[in-house]
Amino acid sequence: MVTARPHPRWLPLAVAACWLALGWAWLARGAAHPGVAYRPWAFDHHAYSDLLAMGGDRYFGGGRPTPYLGDRVEYPPLLALALWLPSFASHAPLAYFTVSYAFLAACGLLAVALLLRLRGADAWWLAGGPALAYYGGLNWDLLPIALLAAAALAHERGRLRGAGALAALGASAKLFPLVLVPPLLGAGSRPGRGRALLAVGAAFAAVLLAVNLPLALAAPDGWSWFWRFNAGRGAENSVWELLRVSPRLAHLVFDAGFLNAVTALLVALAALAAALAARAAARDPGRAVRLGAAFVLVVWIGTNKVWSPQYALWACAAGALAAAPRALLALHAAVAVADYHVAFEARATRGLVHYFDALYLGEEVLRFGAYALLAAWLGRELWRVARAAGDEPPPYGPVVSP
């Protein structure tokens, strides 16, 4: 019987590089339409990038306002730096975009390389689908995704302080890498692992404070804008917009307090489940941590009050960490492509708002269903690993104390 040969380890990196190159070629066309004209052009041509939009708002005219100190940025510090630093290379739209995109492409390839080294992960979830081409340059998400993958690999290799520090750096770029913290703390709270719990918690807190505290003290209004801006938002492009269908519930779409409370409760319950499962997983704590992080991430994104199309990359990161089935990868790849085109067609200036509003609501239901299926699979696997017998050694080696 002929057996299939394993693919070369460089193949996922090569495929990811091809997707990223296609993404640059598609989005770079927008550099010819800077300023006020950019957003209408980008929506009409399904080629929008926050790199060009936000860079044009700030830098293409020759300015260079400092994040937080002279520029209110609705992102955490490391993403604010990723927005700002390429302006030192050039104020020209194409050059600024290319420098920014090259950095993000490097982050994407680094994330794939780290996933290839993480035993039990599936790098094809990130490298194989079209989400890299569609979303790699839409926003700066590949930076925190690389940090999330690095933190997971550090934990797998027993470098617990490094895992905590890298998770803090990821959270200082975008909040989603916080999903590693509950299962890390859960695994560290097992009897006899007090030093591990202290190592993770202390490293995470120290790095988070080192990055954020100086900015919070120097520019409290600018630093806190991220929190105030997001706390006051209603439902945007998310499944919560379905409340508009009911006249009695439609007002909740704009009720930030209600949405904040409900989504926070759902994420907190997912985090508690991840922490308890990681604590109970005696046989394979490394896989329990990855599954727990992926579970919290998918619940968070799937139920978040605000949806941005590039969040598809985070579903890819979750699926990669958990080595979710390829059938789910195919489903999310299809949804990612549909979501991109529907989202921007709905914003295009074609005078068909009502038609695309109905289409977009339908697509939101489809997207939520895909995330629910992935969350259900992750929850089932998390339950299984938590209940697995603890009398055998972990298949990927023990997680050692710091």
Side-chain angles (χ1 to χ4, degrees):
M1 184 176 67
V2 178
T3 58
R5 296 176 60 184
H7 64 74
R9 288 185 63 82
W10 53 261
L11 185 58
L13 287 166
V15 172
C18 289
W19 284 126
L20 289 164
L22 285 172
W24 177 88
W26 183 255
L27 294 174
R29 300 174 301 148
H33 308 273
V36 175
Y38 174 69
R39 285 177 173 85
W41 179 92
F43 294 155
D44 280 344
H45 292 81
H46 295 196
Y48 175 81
S49 169
D50 279 329
L51 279 63
L52 281 167
M54 299 182 71
D57 294 342
R58 292 164 168 82
Y59 311 127
F60 297 168
R64 191 180 292 121
T66 304
Y68 300 149
L69 298 173
D71 180 17
R72 291 201 309 183
V73 180
E74 63 266 28
Y75 295 118
L78 294 189
L79 250 65
L81 282 178
L83 168 67
W84 182 54
L85 291 178
S87 67
F88 287 87
S90 177
H91 289 294
L94 182 59
Y96 172 88
F97 174 75
T98 300
V99 170
S100 300
Y101 193 95
F103 169 71
L104 293 173
C107 289
L109 294 174
L110 175 61
V112 172
L114 291 168
L115 290 166
L116 286 170
R117 300 176 68 184
L118 185 59
R119 290 171 291 184
D122 183 3
W124 282 111
W125 261 84
L126 186 60
L132 274 179
Y134 276 90
Y135 302 116
L138 196 155
N139 198 271
W140 293 266
D141 293 73
L142 287 176
L143 167 59
I145 285 174
L147 291 167
L148 175 64
L153 182 60
H155 174 262
E156 180 70 28
R157 297 190 171 183
R159 299 167 184 167
L160 302 185
R161 293 187 184 91
L166 287 164
L169 287 175
S172 297
K174 212 156 200 177
L175 291 185
F176 292 137
L178 282 172
V179 298
L180 261 179
V181 175
L184 282 177
L185 295 180
S189 67
R190 294 177 58 204
R193 303 236 347 130
R195 290 181 59 205
L197 179 62
L198 181 61
V200 171
F204 179 84
V207 172
L208 197 68
L209 286 173
V211 174
N212 287 272
L213 187 58
L215 291 168
L217 294 175
D221 183 71
W223 179 84
S224 64
W225 172 241
F226 164 74
W227 302 97
R228 291 182 284 116
F229 173 75
N230 286 288
R233 298 169 82 176
E236 297 178 23
N237 314 319
S238 68
V239 70
W240 295 102
E241 284 198 303
L242 291 176
L243 293 170
R244 291 193 285 118
V245 175
S246 169
R248 296 181 61 185
L249 301 176
H251 68 281
L252 295 176
V253 173
F254 309 101
D255 190 336
F258 165 79
L259 294 171
N260 292 342
V262 174
T263 55
L265 176 61
L266 293 171
V267 174
L269 290 173
L272 178 61
L276 293 175
R279 176 181 169 83
R283 181 173 182 269
D284 194 355
R287 176 163 168 75
V289 168
R290 294 195 306 275
L291 281 169
F295 178 66
V296 179
L297 181 57
V298 172
V299 170
W300 188 349
I301 293 174
T303 63
N304 200 34
K305 65 177 183 177
V306 175
W307 168 266
S308 291
Q310 77 273 8
Y311 290 174
L313 289 171
W314 291 96
C316 293
L321 287 174
R326 296 284 175 84
L328 287 174
L329 167 58
L331 172 62
H332 277 265
V335 169
V337 173
D339 196 52
Y340 182 93
H341 290 292
V342 172
F344 293 121
E345 187 64 20
R347 288 160 177 75
T349 55
R350 303 183 195 278
L352 298 173
V353 175
H354 297 295
Y355 169 74
F356 282 108
D357 183 61
L359 178 63
Y360 196 50
L361 286 175
E363 200 276 331
E364 285 172 348
V365 174
L366 175 64
R367 181 212 307 149
F368 180 76
Y371 277 80
L373 286 174
L374 181 54
W377 183 87
L378 290 167
R380 185 191 67 178
E381 292 301 302
L382 195 59
W383 173 258
R384 287 178 173 177
V385 78
R387 292 179 58 85
D391 56 354
E392 302 177 43
Y396 305 140
V399 177
V400 300
S401 298

